[in-house]
Amino acid sequence: MNGYELLNVTFQFLESFAFIVLATVGLAVIFGMMGIINLAHGEFILVGAYATTLSAHQGLPLPVAMLVGVVATTIFGIVLERTIIRRLYGRLLDSMVATFGISLVLVQLTRILFGNSIDQVSTPFGAISYGSYSYSLYRVLLAGAAIATLLVLYILFTRTAFGIRARATIQDEETARSMGVDTDRMYMSTFAIGSALAGLTGALYAPARASPTPEFGSEFLVDAFVAVVVGGPSVLVGTPLAGGFLGLIEAFFTFQWTQFIGTVAMLVAAIVMIRLLPDGFSGLVESVRTSWRESE
Amino acid sequence: MLNLTDVHVSYGTTPILHDIDITVDSEEIVGIMGKNGVGKTTLIKAVMGLLEVDTGTITFDGDDVTSTGADVRARRGMGYIPQGRDVFPELTVEENLRMGETIHAADNSLQYEAVYDYFPILTERRTQTAGTLSGGQQQLLAIGRALIGNPKLLVLDEPSEGVQPSIVQDITRDLQRVNEELETTIIFVEQNLHVVQHLAERCYAIDKGMIVDELGSDRLDSREAVTEYLAV
Ligand SMILES: Nc1ncnc2c1ncn2[C@@H]1O[C@H](COP(=O)(O)OP(=O)(O)O)[C@@H](O)[C@H]1O
Ligand SMILES: [Mg+2]
């Protein structure tokens, strides 16, 4: 492997890492914090991507259009939470059926309203060239966006009063309420954060993939669900580790062979991981921490 | 300070509490004793607003709070210590205490000093997750967490449960000190003889969901009078 090739694999890795992390965070927050498996996660991303693309078509600068995408998805998530999801807390199967239904409706609705595809916004920043290779700078910078997102989530959930209340509510709702927490509002806010994250993913990838279609969101689903399972229950620990691990495997196999082989390798690795670590990376980290504490 | 008048509570269609009348005056320490399964936790949850009452009224600090949620009651000045040392196990000691700030966002610094002064062990364990503390330490943390909110009324569900006898005596003394120095009113339910005799200034006895007796300090001193209502 020469220097250019190494650079190529590195970029490939950064791109896979960013894709996996950004595809996963929204799903992981809603699952990890509220125990809801949101099968409409892909369509939340879809809403973000369409709102971004359509407002860019209206002449808004791309960063503003992306903000519109995030805000639109957040509002969309809050409306859905207030009308449907809130009735389904603690009912895993019902919530899966309901969100699956929402997903189907949204895909068809998008097709009816906007047709089979809409024009893509062009990718900003151009390309980096080296040797006989070139790589889209924007797609590499997405890795920075993924890391920034994880950092913000880390600070939000561990360093702020909101985060402490949110984690307390998950651990023991009744006691949290008796400590003055409006738990109903807490669930709504957490769901809104998960929706905003999915919207951000849609906004960031709207200019970075092919022209958005009604199936835009489903392209993120495999990576998202695989990463949630491999990452395990703790979002903050599990998502970055899963993104790093799966991204590395995908990048290597894609570089050596093809994108298809890369995806297959990632899925095989995920299946092996689930056999070895049923609680995912965050379960592993937890048990290592416990054994350290005991040896102290 | 706290009044329950003719309160009835059920789980679904099963009635649990009947005709409950309880009065707690400002700065008083009132106990409610009874054996396992007689409805103590149900009563405490109704006081806290975690269970709705079927009929009857609850007033707190001059306001009717009968249909007010637990979060609002907490912000009005009720501090709850659940049964079974119910701390948030995966939060650190410090984060558990910070949950108390939710209730009382204003200046808590004095209250922190008071809590660390009463329970110095919590200062040492600040960064540890609460689930790793011993039973007694978790109980202290649950009390400290409630105190950070600077409550007018502490509501305790069996503070002695799962705690070693020697620590039970410490906790009893700590609660007395809180009552004297912070002027906090206290209501607790218990089946531990030591706590009932040493903490309560006045005590109701509950059996099968009904208040069956009320004991003043003279009768609380008599072991026979008290053990009649406990499974000792
Ligand atoms: N969630 C519940 N649903 C139905 N019945 C309950 C529930 N919790 C407690 N009970 C019943 O209510 C009665 C009183 O319980 P509880 O208030 O917990 O008693 P105590 O705290 O005095 O031990 C018991 O008979 C118990 O079986
Ligand atoms: Mg009980």
Side-chain angles (χ1 to χ4, degrees):
Chain A
M1 211 188 273
N2 64 34
Y4 292 146
E5 284 173 338
L6 186 65
L7 207 55
N8 224 14
V9 186
T10 307
F11 286 157
Q12 183 77 53
F13 165 69
L14 290 176
E15 184 177 343
S16 298
F17 172 77
F19 186 80
I20 294 165
V21 167
L22 289 170
T24 309
V25 275
L27 184 73
V29 164
I30 290 175
F31 174 62
M33 298 278 163
M34 319 172 64
I36 292 266
I37 296 180
N38 179 16
L39 289 177
H41 175 64
E43 282 59 50
F44 282 56
I45 295 175
L46 177 74
V47 171
Y50 267 60
T52 301
T53 307
L54 293 170
S55 35
H57 287 336
Q58 297 302 312
L60 290 181
L62 187 57
V64 181
M66 286 177 165
L67 191 64
V68 172
V70 173
V71 172
T73 316
T74 310
I75 294 171
F76 171 76
I78 290 173
V79 170
L80 220 54
E81 197 272 345
R82 287 290 90 179
T83 51
I84 300 172
I85 309 285
R86 62 181 296 205
R87 298 166 210 282
L88 304 173
Y89 290 138
R91 290 160 58 188
L92 188 66
L93 285 178
D94 293 345
S95 65
M96 285 172 76
V97 171
T99 52
F100 184 59
I102 293 168
S103 154
L104 294 179
V105 170
L106 283 172
V107 171
Q108 291 314 319
L109 200 64
T110 307
R111 197 182 304 286
I112 292 166
L113 290 175
F114 304 107
N116 282 333
S117 77
I118 55 175
D119 287 337
Q120 195 206 350
V121 180
S122 58
T123 311
F125 302 137
I128 327 163
S129 299
Y130 46 100
S132 56
Y133 298 100
S134 80
Y135 218 101
S136 157
L137 175 60
Y138 181 77
R139 296 172 83 162
V140 175
L141 289 180
L142 285 175
I147 290 168
T149 304
L150 289 171
L151 275 179
V152 169
L153 281 182
Y154 179 78
I155 291 167
L156 179 69
F157 281 112
T158 63
R159 295 282 181 271
T160 68
F162 169 84
I164 294 171
R165 277 177 225 164
R167 281 158 53 224
T169 304
I170 303 146
Q171 284 172 41
D172 186 342
E173 181 186 337
E174 195 174 84
T175 305
R177 232 178 331 130
S178 68
M179 309 275 347
V181 178
D182 183 342
T183 49
D184 186 50
R185 234 177 81 210
M186 209 71 220
Y187 284 128
M188 187 181 86
S189 313
T190 309
F191 198 83
I193 291 170
S195 309
L197 290 168
L200 177 70
T201 305
L204 288 172
Y205 280 97
R209 297 180 77 76
S211 296
T213 68
E215 279 81 32
F216 186 89
S218 57
E219 294 165 25
F220 293 80
L221 275 194
V222 172
D223 291 70
F225 277 97
V226 167
V228 164
V229 172
V230 171
S234 160
V235 187
L236 297 172
V237 177
T239 308
L241 288 177
F245 172 73
L246 297 171
L248 211 54
I249 288 181
E250 192 179 31
F252 177 74
F253 281 87
T254 300
F255 174 78
Q256 284 293 328
W257 290 282
T258 63
Q259 176 73 54
F260 176 72
I261 302 280
T263 306
V264 171
M266 187 182 86
L267 290 176
V268 171
I271 292 166
V272 173
M273 285 292 297
I274 296 162
R275 294 289 308 187
L276 295 178
L277 300 175
D279 284 328
F281 277 116
S282 51
L284 176 70
V285 169
E286 191 49 44
S287 58
V288 169
R289 264 200 213 145
T290 312
S291 62
W292 272 349
R293 209 178 281 134
E294 277 160 9
S295 68
E296 257 175 27
Chain B
M1 151 105 339
L2 179 77
N3 283 292
L4 280 74
T5 316
D6 198 17
V7 164
H8 290 247
V9 180
S10 18
Y11 279 115
T13 53
T14 317
I16 304 287
L17 299 181
H18 317 268
D19 285 321
I20 303 285
D21 288 296
I22 287 176
T23 307
V24 181
D25 290 328
S26 228
E27 292 175 45
E28 214 184 356
I29 304 182
V30 172
I32 297 152
M33 62 175 158
K35 296 170 190 160
N36 243 334
V38 296
K40 298 186 300 299
T41 295
T42 309
L43 174 59
I44 279 296
K45 286 190 174 177
V47 167
M48 198 57 220
L50 293 165
L51 280 175
E52 282 179 31
V53 304
D54 299 336
T55 58
T57 52
I58 303 176
T59 63
F60 171 58
D61 207 20
D63 297 320
D64 187 336
V65 295
T66 312
S67 49
T68 316
D71 53 328
V72 179
R73 288 190 209 185
R75 292 197 291 267
R76 288 214 185 143
M78 286 192 191
Y80 173 54
I81 291 118
Q83 184 165 14
R85 318 162 251 136
D86 218 340
V87 294
F88 300 110
E90 287 161 32
L91 299 187
T92 63
V93 168
E94 173 112 358
E95 287 173 333
N96 265 278
L97 289 175
R98 284 191 62 190
M99 280 299 294
E101 291 175 7
T102 312
I103 299 164
H104 208 255
D107 182 20
N108 297 107
S109 52
L110 261 181
Q111 217 50 31
Y112 269 100
E113 271 170 37
V115 169
Y116 284 137
D117 177 36
Y118 287 125
F119 313 123
I121 187 79
L122 297 181
T123 333
E124 288 165 35
R125 302 289 156 102
R126 270 174 47 206
T127 56
Q128 229 170 294
T129 50
T132 63
L133 300 180
S134 72
Q137 290 166 356
Q138 290 189 23
Q139 191 59 270
L140 297 183
L141 176 58
I143 297 171
R145 185 181 61 185
L147 285 178
I148 297 276
N150 204 358
K152 297 177 190 135
L153 174 71
L154 269 188
V155 180
L156 296 109
D157 193 346
E158 293 201 41
S160 74
E161 197 198 65
V163 176
Q164 296 173 25
S166 63
I167 311 285
V168 168
Q169 298 189 7
D170 292 344
I171 291 177
T172 305
R173 269 195 300 274
D174 289 332
L175 288 170
Q176 273 163 339
R177 226 183 114 193
V178 165
N179 168 256
E180 279 164 28
E181 295 175 6
L182 304 177
E183 302 177 350
T184 314
T185 312
I186 295 178
I187 181 171
F188 68 93
V189 298
E190 257 302 349
Q191 50 183 324
N192 176 295
L193 180 68
H194 176 88
V195 180
V196 169
Q197 286 199 302
H198 290 84
L199 186 58
E201 293 165 0
R202 193 157 62 80
C203 192
Y204 295 92
I206 180 173
D207 192 19
K208 298 195 187 86
M210 296 204 277
I211 300 293
V212 290
D213 200 354
E214 185 182 339
L215 296 78
S217 56
D218 47 339
R219 280 177 69 211
L220 278 171
D221 288 340
S222 138
R223 193 185 155 93
E224 294 74 53
V226 175
T227 49
E228 187 188 339
Y229 300 109
L230 299 174
V232 183

